[in-house]
């Protein structure tokens, strides 16, 4: 089966760092596009970082502090979060378009990870 497996969330103090991982498991040909989203209490879901056609984009709120990267050999995407602030506290989720084989035919399907909690204390 194909799925996204996330890890790396936790509790840190303001100014600290965390690295989130999103690994695509199963028979994956490639990750065509990927994004990291977050949703804080009382707020709507926000796209914080994405890779599309090899290009990286960031929300203004995280520019200069977060970096999205990928390891093609491991089919894994990372979100390095530096200089964390209390307002970064949220559930972070990985979303990706995965190219795979279904009964001999190459297809692209969208998947979500399970989400991981990031809490930043002041």
């Amino acid at each position: 089966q194909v799925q996204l497996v996330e890890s790396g969330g936790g509790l840190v103090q303001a100014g600290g760092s965390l690295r989130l991982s999103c690994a695509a498991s199963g028979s994956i040909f490639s990750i065509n596009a990927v994004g990291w989203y977050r949703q804080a209490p009382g707020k709507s879901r926000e796209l914080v970082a994405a890779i599309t056609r090899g290009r990286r984009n960031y929300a203004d709120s995280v520019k200069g502090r977060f970096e999205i990267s990928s390891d093609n050999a491991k089919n894994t995407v990372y979100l390095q979060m530096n200089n964390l602030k209390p307002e970064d506290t949220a559930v972070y989720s990985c979303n990706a378009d995965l190219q795979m084989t279904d009964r001999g035919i190459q297809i692209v399907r969208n998947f979500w990870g399970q989400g991981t909690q990031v809490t930043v204390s002041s």
Side-chain angles (χ1 to χ4, degrees), residues 27-62:
S27 298
I28 301 297
F29 181 78
S30 65
I31 302 176
N32 290 358
V34 64
W36 283 98
Y37 294 79
R38 69 184 182 187
Q39 187 164 22
K43 296 184 178 180
S44 60
R45 188 176 63 190
E46 175 189 23
L47 177 64
V48 298
I51 302 176
T52 304
R53 296 187 177 182
R55 297 189 176 187
R56 305 176 184 183
N57 298 101
Y58 301 92
D60 289 341
S61 59
V62 306

Side-chain angles (χ1 to χ4, degrees), residues 93-105:
S93 301
C94 178
N95 179 271
D97 290 333
L98 304 180
Q99 187 170 343
M100 60 191 199
T101 301
D102 184 5
R103 285 169 283 184
I105 301 174

